[in-house]
Amino acid sequence: MTLIPSHPSPPSPSAALPFQTWTWRGFPICYQQQGEAGPAVVLVHGFGASCGHWRKNIPDLATGCRVYAIDLIGFGYSAKPTPGEAIAYTFETWGQQLADFCREIVGGPAFFVGNSIGCIAIMQAAVDHPELAQGIVAINCSLRLLHDRKRSLKPWYQRVGPPIAQKILSVKWIAQFFFSRLATAKTVRSILLQAYRKADAVTDELVEIILGPSRDAGAVDVFVAFTRYSQGPLPEDLLPILPCRTLLLWGSDDPWEPLTLGQEFAQIPTVDQFIPLPGLGHCPQDEAPEVVNPIVLEWILKKQGEFQGGE
């Protein structure tokens, strides 16, 4: 297994907020924190990202909240233990990690904010630990279109490709070769330019935030474990049973999670608002923080005010 150093170095000089380490189940977990007053907010990244992906959001949210950004185990500068030995890389595992983080570091309930697969992780945490969830903000939630149940509804010729690819990636040398080609600055930049609509948001700093943790030993095994994970919850399973209200934000030009499919969630009773974000892609919180931050902060403070008013 591979552990992070006790005090990991920030990916770039502009990431001025220090990294902190919390030990969970014997593994070091990386997180950042800012803000001394107000409701607690826990930010959870998407696949292949880390707490550094929230660098443009933490300061603004911290003007009214106590903000925590955490690296899920297996990602960022958190530990990357061998899959299946001490850790199963599932949403149930990440949900438990987030719940324990709230209890041990945050000190109580929090609003959870997620992007992409981070949305599923925070929903799982809320469903499994309802006493810790004050509200959910889901930004371009992963639809998990390669999930077994969703693939089963497709024509046979669309069903066969992903399982074959997953089987091929289970061969270690093939996985290592594929990952070595994927984990390059050129490839990461190309993928980000697909996900983002504003090319100028794809900076060298962002590329390094994504690329840096991929150099850790264990990163290949975590990558393969997650790409082979076609089970577990779907957002449409979790949203209706959430114990708290939800704000859904969606970049309208997301090439991976279509807005038209996301809009179907607007009818679910636990959803307070569904807000499309015109002209933005898969990670609008990083692409246009000046748009996203005020919406998120206003909603959280409004909900917090409602809680206090009901006391």
Side-chain angles (χ1 to χ4, degrees):
M1 77 182 61
T2 301
L3 304 184
I4 60 170
S6 298
H7 300 284
S9 300
S12 78
S14 64
L17 196 62
F19 287 172
Q20 300 184 59
T21 301
W22 164 58
T23 300
W24 182 65
R25 298 186 179 180
F27 300 110
I29 301 297
C30 180
Y31 72 97
Q32 295 178 299
Q33 194 275 325
Q34 188 173 357
E36 301 300 326
V41 178
V42 177
L43 308 175
V44 183
H45 59 81
F47 179 63
S50 66
C51 58
H53 211 190
W54 300 99
R55 69 204 183 284
K56 300 177 184 178
N57 314 106
I58 296 172
D60 283 354
L61 297 180
T63 60
C65 305
R66 293 176 292 122
V67 183
Y68 302 80
I70 185 171
D71 286 351
L72 296 174
I73 192 165
F75 294 103
Y77 289 93
S78 285
K80 300 172 179 63
T82 303
E85 292 186 5
I87 289 290
Y89 290 100
T90 67
F91 291 110
E92 289 79 8
T93 297
W94 290 317
Q96 186 64 57
Q97 178 192 347
L98 295 173
D100 290 342
F101 182 75
C102 283
R103 294 188 180 102
E104 297 178 23
I105 300 298
V106 176
F111 289 88
F112 292 105
V113 181
N115 174 230
S116 192
I117 67 157
C119 299
I120 310 296
I122 63 177
M123 290 178 193
Q124 188 71 61
V127 167
D128 291 345
H129 308 273
E131 73 282 3
L132 295 174
Q134 293 186 303
I136 293 284
V137 179
I139 304 172
N140 286 66
C141 179
S142 171
L143 298 169
R144 305 204 66 204
L145 296 175
L146 295 180
H147 192 283
D148 287 346
R149 274 188 277 153
K150 292 194 174 182
R151 284 208 315 261
S152 69
L153 302 176
K154 295 181 179 180
W156 71 268
Y157 54 86
Q158 293 181 4
R159 295 199 303 264
V160 295
I164 292 173
Q166 290 172 331
K167 188 71 174 177
I168 291 172
L169 284 175
S170 68
V171 179
K172 194 170 185 67
W173 73 266
I174 295 178
Q176 290 174 334
F177 177 80
F178 178 78
F179 192 77
S180 70
R181 296 299 182 268
L182 185 64
T184 67
K186 181 179 180 181
T187 302
V188 168
R189 186 179 299 275
S190 176
I191 293 170
L192 289 169
L193 286 170
Q194 293 177 25
Y196 285 54
R197 299 292 77 144
K198 294 184 177 180
D200 60 356
V202 181
T203 61
D204 292 343
E205 178 190 40
L206 176 60
V207 170
E208 181 58 25
I209 285 171
I210 303 297
L211 191 58
S214 72
R215 303 186 184 104
D216 291 352
V220 178
D221 292 338
V222 174
F223 170 79
V224 172
F226 189 76
T227 55
R228 298 188 71 199
Y229 179 42
S230 301
Q231 302 80 41
L234 293 167
E236 53 264 42
D237 299 331
L238 297 174
L239 271 168
I241 59 173
L242 285 176
C244 56
R245 305 302 295 171
T246 304
L247 170 65
L248 296 179
L249 305 182
W250 218 283
S252 65
D253 293 352
D254 188 335
W256 299 336
E257 314 294 348
L259 173 67
T260 53
L261 297 180
Q263 284 175 319
E264 297 176 9
F265 297 153
Q267 306 307 314
I268 295 176
T270 58
V271 175
D272 247 12
Q273 290 177 274
F274 183 102
I275 302 178
L277 304 174
L280 298 178
H282 186 62
C283 306
Q285 82 282 0
D286 186 58
E287 191 174 6
E290 73 282 0
V291 173
V292 172
N293 292 345
I295 296 173
V296 174
L297 183 59
E298 180 182 2
W299 187 83
I300 289 174
L301 294 180
K302 178 183 177 183
K303 289 297 163 190
Q304 181 69 6
E306 291 174 0
F307 296 148
Q308 294 172 341
E311 293 178 356

